[in-house]
Amino acid sequence: MTLVQIDNYGPWTVTPEPRREMDLQSLQSRLFADIAEFLGHRDGYAFFTRFDNMIAVTNGVDGDAHATLQESIGNRYPVTVSLGTAVSDRPIDALEAANARLQTEGSAQDEGRTEVLAGEYLTERSPGDVQIAHFDVVNVTGKYTDRLNEFDTFIDIERAYASLMRHLRREHGALSFFVGGDNVIAVCPDMPEAAFADAVDHVVADVDVELQVGVGRGESAHEAGFAAKHALEDCRHAGTAVELFGAPAASD
């Protein structure tokens, strides 16, 4: 996992005076798009989280590539970024270690802490390294989009996302990210099929939103995520809640 953190961003947004909000939103969106494209070309995944902090799955992306990304941003944007990277069996543990690498170098709003590049990089990959789960809401169009106004639909989708995100983080150390529409992608440790069924059941019981999930494995986020997309299509066609695709998932 790699943590991407804009350096000293809060103070920059109000110096020498507060900047126009839509200018900031545009900058954040372009920056995320460039990071996602850069890592996507290297089979990684990037997620915007709070925009001033972004989280990426970077299996197979070495230190030189991270340095190139950092240099490219510094050359093309009025802000710089620091990158912390770490490796662990559980995504949350890798992220915690990546965070710590930046935090030990100073505060995110310390103007003297810029363009930190710190970490360890998993360059040797194997077929089952990454497990990705792709969730969506069952019949979102019929239940929500075509019946409710967009804001109330958004509230229901966000409630389901929040419930799922907390459950997978707490029970398994997985990291879940809203990626638009009614879709959530979870970066998971070695989890059995039953754990995904439990997550779907939890969200129904907690917020009364029905989910389905496709699960895939691969040596990179792209490979595992693409397998998860195929598995999700199997859910839609078969009317099932959980489907696995690709390399065998962990057994109970």
Side-chain angles (χ1 to χ4, degrees):
M1 306 297 300
T2 294
L3 173 65
V4 181
Q5 189 172 86
I6 302 179
D7 296 318
N8 200 31
Y9 186 57
W12 179 82
T13 64
V14 295
T15 303
E17 59 183 18
R19 300 173 191 270
R20 288 166 53 92
E21 185 59 35
M22 288 302 100
D23 291 342
L24 297 176
Q25 294 295 321
S26 297
L27 181 146
Q28 291 173 172
S29 298
R30 289 196 304 272
L31 179 60
F32 169 67
D34 283 346
I35 291 170
E37 183 176 36
F38 182 95
L39 293 175
H41 284 317
R42 292 158 178 79
D43 291 338
Y45 270 14
F47 303 98
F48 53 78
T49 60
R50 295 185 293 136
F51 282 107
D52 57 347
N53 285 258
M54 291 164 266
I55 297 172
V57 186
T58 50
N59 296 58
V61 183
D62 64 15
D64 288 343
H66 280 76
T68 298
L69 172 62
Q70 189 177 59
E71 181 181 11
S72 176
I73 292 168
N75 287 338
R76 294 185 297 116
Y77 284 88
V79 295
T80 60
V81 296
S82 289
L83 306 176
T85 305
V87 178
S88 181
D89 291 337
R90 295 200 319 159
I92 187 59
D93 296 332
L95 180 60
E96 288 276 9
N99 255 110
R101 285 189 161 93
L102 298 190
Q103 290 164 347
T104 57
E105 297 292 333
S107 169
Q109 293 194 359
D110 181 353
E111 63 181 11
R113 194 219 74 177
T114 60
E115 293 190 289
V116 175
L117 181 64
E120 55 180 334
Y121 307 95
L122 184 66
T123 56
E124 296 294 326
R125 301 182 294 188
S126 58
D129 279 348
V130 185
Q131 186 178 54
I132 296 288
H134 194 141
F135 293 82
D136 76 359
V137 177
V138 176
N139 190 24
V140 68
T141 302
K143 292 180 179 178
Y144 300 96
T145 308
D146 289 347
R147 296 182 58 206
L148 303 176
N149 70 68
E150 173 52 28
F151 196 78
D152 290 339
T153 296
F154 178 64
I155 288 172
D156 284 338
I157 300 303
E158 287 292 294
R159 288 174 64 241
Y161 167 46
S163 178
L164 177 68
M165 174 174 54
R166 286 192 297 267
H167 173 81
L168 290 178
R169 162 67 178 91
R170 181 177 61 246
E171 298 297 327
H172 303 287
L175 304 178
S176 306
F177 305 94
F178 178 67
V179 294
D182 63 324
N183 294 270
V184 174
I185 289 177
V187 185
C188 304
D190 194 21
M191 289 170 56
E193 182 176 359
F196 295 102
D198 288 345
V200 169
D201 291 343
H202 169 81
V203 174
V204 170
D206 188 28
V207 297
D208 194 28
V209 176
E210 186 179 2
L211 300 178
Q212 55 196 357
V213 56
V215 184
R217 284 181 179 270
E219 66 176 21
S220 67
H222 165 70
E223 187 175 289
F226 206 59
K229 283 178 177 288
H230 281 288
L232 184 58
E233 286 301 307
D234 291 341
C235 285
R236 291 167 177 154
H237 289 303
T240 51
V242 183
E243 292 287 345
L244 310 180
F245 189 92
S251 58
D252 289 309

